[in-house]
Amino acid sequence: QVQVVESGGGLVQPGGSLRLSCAASEINFSIYTMAWYRQAPGKQRELVAFITSAGRTVYADSVKGRFTISRDNAKYTVYLQMNSLKPEDTAVYYCNTVDRRYMWGQGTQVTVSS
């Protein structure tokens, strides 16, 4: 089963930016709708954004206008550019297909705090 590797998290002040990356070395990567999820302490994992194979994007209301999802199929990688970060964005961020067919990775911790 394919496992993804997320990276790019860290500690950032409110209003700052981070760019997350997710690598999935799987030959069919380009045909799947890829998604970013996040899980804050004590909360359920939630869908943040997804991008279809054709490049159409959809965002959760909480991140719309601040986050941008993109993909590079040649690199089997999906990205999440996060701007204007807020403390409530603090969570572990994960990527997977939108139907969760890959094995979950370790995720990458994003902490927004002054």
Side-chain angles (χ1 to χ4, degrees), residues 6-111:
E6 301 94 347
S7 62
L11 173 63
V12 63
Q13 292 186 342
S17 298
L18 283 173
R19 188 192 193 207
L20 307 183
S21 299
C22 169
S25 297
E26 201 266 320
I27 196 167
N28 293 316
F29 172 86
S30 64
I31 68 173
Y32 296 140
T33 294
M34 294 299 299
W36 282 97
Y37 301 81
R38 67 186 180 187
Q39 187 167 18
K43 295 187 176 181
Q44 289 190 336
R45 193 168 299 183
E46 64 174 353
L47 179 66
V48 174
F50 66 80
I51 182 167
T52 69
S53 58
R56 185 174 74 93
T57 57
V58 174
Y59 299 91
D61 287 344
S62 59
V63 307
K64 202 172 294 183
R66 300 187 297 121
F67 290 10
T68 302
I69 188 172
S70 60
R71 67 192 299 164
D72 185 337
N73 290 331
K75 296 182 178 179
Y76 302 104
T77 301
V78 61
Y79 304 98
L80 187 68
Q81 177 66 44
M82 305 186 297
N83 299 328
S84 303
L85 281 161
K86 304 175 180 180
E88 50 264 44
D89 295 318
T90 295
V92 179
Y93 284 71
Y94 302 88
C95 77
N96 208 322
T97 63
V98 75
D99 56 355
R100 308 185 180 195
R101 64 177 58 227
Y102 291 158
M103 186 182 300
W104 290 102
Q106 298 281 347
T108 186
Q109 175 71 49
V110 171
T111 303

